[in-house]
Amino acid sequence: MVDLPKQPGLPDNVFMTRLDAAASWARSNSLWPMPFATACCGIELMATASSRFDLARFGAEVMRFSPRQCDLMIVAGRVVMKMLPVLQRIWLQMPEPKWCISMGACACSGGVFDTYAVVQGVDRFIPVDLYVPGCPPRPEQLIAALIEMQDKIMKTGTFQGSEFSGRTEATGPIPLELEEIRRSREAKLVDGLDIFQPPKL
Amino acid sequence: MLDLQPLIEKFGLTQSEFRGNRRVVVAADRVYSLLETLKNSHGFNMLIDVTCVDYLEYEGATDRFGVVYCLLNMSTGDRLIVKTLINDPTPTLPTVTTLWMGADWMEREVYDMFGITFTGHHDLRRILMPDEFSAFPLRKDYPLKGRGERHNFPVITRSES
Ligand code: SF4
């Protein structure tokens, strides 16, 4: 928190700061995570929250399963294409201000699951603030990411949440890779089957 | 152990054995009556699995799809694997949910992954893939990485969420 120089004439138990800093300080120390745990990383997320690693030390122990009560989404595990609309909907249901941590290789990039069903990184479709690498990441890594997150909120947070309005670009890679387009053009089609047609780019 | 000889003669089965698993191959139009006989007269009261194999470009294969039924007789512990071969363009089989209700979701899965239609099934919808998905992903002519379905979503940026 930024302390402004003491004003003459104020008593000792009064200090002055900016509203932004005060709001960010409060927000960053009481993050309420939304555990979007779809696979094995979710187990590690549970371990992080439980007594041995104790996420409560950083003020983020209140896991809520209702997106309306959360402000930090932790995507832990692979997200398949049937789940992605759910993920996006939950993200949109979370009230501002909100942040997102993508935990594990699968959530960040699809990991080893480079198949038709698995989304190759959630950052292609929702905004992600922090990536935690690893398969699965150790709880210490998640805690480090949380501390990093708090740091980021302290540094960039504003009372009105206006730091988000500048982020009009998607953060992830473009959803269709050139390689992907080439592959879908070359894919052998079966006659007469009603199949998905890739967009013409 | 069930004596297969009368069944082989009656239904024209081909029999083989691998590591103690007895397998019979039956023509698609006779598979239902064979399974019915096995259930009602030979005590195969449990259907372990219904699954499918796509033999496209498989060495020596003559038919496109093999649908496999794994049966278990719960009182004798006897197991039998029944296989039938079907082909494009409309691979169709009669449903066995009338014999074993447990075939319900297994047939839906086979339909979802291979596009095999089970006539008479009361609720033949996709079970794993989303309803609007239009391909059958475990067919061998479907590319492993899909045809771009996994990228076909709106992108939400931070300022619009
Ligand atoms: S990154 Fe590893 S541990 Fe995490 S969901 Fe993927 S496979 Fe599981």
Side-chain angles (χ1 to χ4, degrees):
Chain A
M1 173 132 31
V2 203
D3 275 324
L4 297 183
K6 240 188 166 23
Q7 303 292 311
L10 279 181
D12 271 354
N13 54 358
V14 173
F15 67 95
M16 311 252 306
T17 181
R18 284 180 296 113
L19 191 54
D20 284 355
S24 302
W25 174 73
R27 283 169 187 164
S28 66
N29 287 295
S30 70
L31 286 169
W32 286 30
M34 159 84 225
F36 196 89
T38 44
C40 11
C41 273
I43 306 294
E44 215 71 358
L45 176 59
M46 290 176 223
T48 318
S50 61
S51 54
R52 177 160 175 180
F53 297 97
D54 198 8
L55 209 53
R57 293 176 294 161
F58 309 97
E61 78 278 22
V62 204
M63 300 269 176
R64 283 296 144 128
F65 296 90
S66 158
R68 306 264 183 222
Q69 300 172 342
C70 301
D71 52 9
L72 173 67
M73 173 176 263
I74 303 181
V75 185
R78 46 196 168 268
V79 177
V80 292
M81 49 176 285
K82 201 170 174 181
M83 202 66 184
L84 192 82
V86 180
L87 173 69
Q88 288 187 324
R89 187 171 180 152
I90 289 180
W91 170 255
L92 291 175
Q93 281 175 342
M94 285 166 60
E96 294 283 358
K98 58 190 173 189
W99 298 272
C100 176
I101 291 182
S102 152
M103 174 186 181
C106 289
C108 296
S109 69
V112 293
F113 303 98
D114 192 2
T115 70
Y116 61 93
V118 179
V119 170
Q120 300 299 294
V122 293
D123 55 349
R124 289 166 191 253
F125 303 109
I126 64 166
V128 171
D129 290 281
L130 261 180
Y131 302 84
V132 191
C135 178
R138 293 267 318 158
E140 290 92 328
Q141 269 173 283
L142 186 61
I143 290 175
L146 191 89
I147 295 172
E148 191 95 344
M149 192 77 243
Q150 292 178 333
D151 221 39
K152 182 171 177 179
I153 298 172
M154 281 302 292
K155 287 203 180 110
T156 62
T158 54
F159 181 63
Q160 303 278 3
S162 53
E163 77 270 25
F164 299 128
S165 61
R167 292 169 61 183
T168 49
E169 303 268 301
T171 37
I174 53 157
L176 269 177
E177 305 149 18
L178 293 176
E179 171 69 8
E180 192 99 23
I181 297 169
R182 182 190 61 73
R183 212 174 27 230
S184 58
R185 290 225 175 104
E186 285 175 4
K188 195 164 61 171
L189 301 187
V190 188
D191 281 345
L193 268 188
D194 181 24
I195 49 164
F196 172 83
Q197 294 298 335
K200 300 250 176 334
L201 295 180
Chain B
M1 207 198 246
L2 168 69
D3 178 21
L4 283 175
Q5 208 50 47
L7 288 173
I8 290 177
E9 279 156 22
K10 187 168 170 212
F11 291 98
L13 311 177
T14 341
Q15 187 201 0
S16 61
E17 183 158 341
F18 182 71
R19 292 190 181 163
N21 282 330
R22 290 194 300 163
R23 306 173 297 190
V24 290
V25 181
V26 60
D29 50 353
R30 272 183 273 185
V31 66
Y32 187 82
S33 45
L34 171 66
L35 291 170
E36 197 173 26
T37 318
L38 284 172
K39 187 193 172 198
N40 295 337
S41 325
H42 301 283
F44 283 95
N45 46 6
M46 183 167 179
L47 180 68
I48 301 284
D49 201 4
V50 180
T51 183
C52 182
V53 191
D54 186 352
Y55 286 112
L56 186 72
E57 290 167 15
Y58 188 86
E59 218 176 282
T62 48
D63 299 86
R64 174 85 196 262
F65 298 106
V67 177
V68 183
Y69 300 86
C70 304
L71 307 181
L72 170 66
N73 182 334
M74 292 224 284
S75 37
T76 62
D78 204 8
R79 283 173 195 267
L80 185 66
I81 296 167
V82 177
K83 189 158 105 179
T84 182
L85 298 163
I86 45 178
N87 278 300
D88 271 342
T90 47
T92 308
L93 277 180
T95 179
V96 293
T97 47
T98 41
L99 300 176
W100 298 275
M101 202 50 213
D104 184 354
W105 282 15
M106 303 184 216
E107 287 184 348
R108 277 178 67 188
E109 188 183 352
V110 170
Y111 165 71
D112 190 359
M113 293 289 140
F114 292 93
I116 287 163
T117 318
F118 291 91
T119 46
H121 191 289
H122 60 97
D123 184 25
L124 198 65
R125 284 178 295 131
R126 287 184 177 272
I127 188 169
L128 298 171
M129 302 309 289
D131 284 340
E132 64 274 13
F133 200 78
S134 52
F136 300 113
L138 285 194
R139 288 190 176 189
K140 294 290 182 213
D141 51 10
Y142 184 80
L144 172 66
K145 297 182 184 181
R147 298 203 165 107
E149 294 94 335
R150 63 183 181 180
H151 293 317
N152 198 12
F153 295 99
V155 182
I156 300 178
T157 66
R158 191 59 183 80
S159 56
E160 47 185 43
S161 59

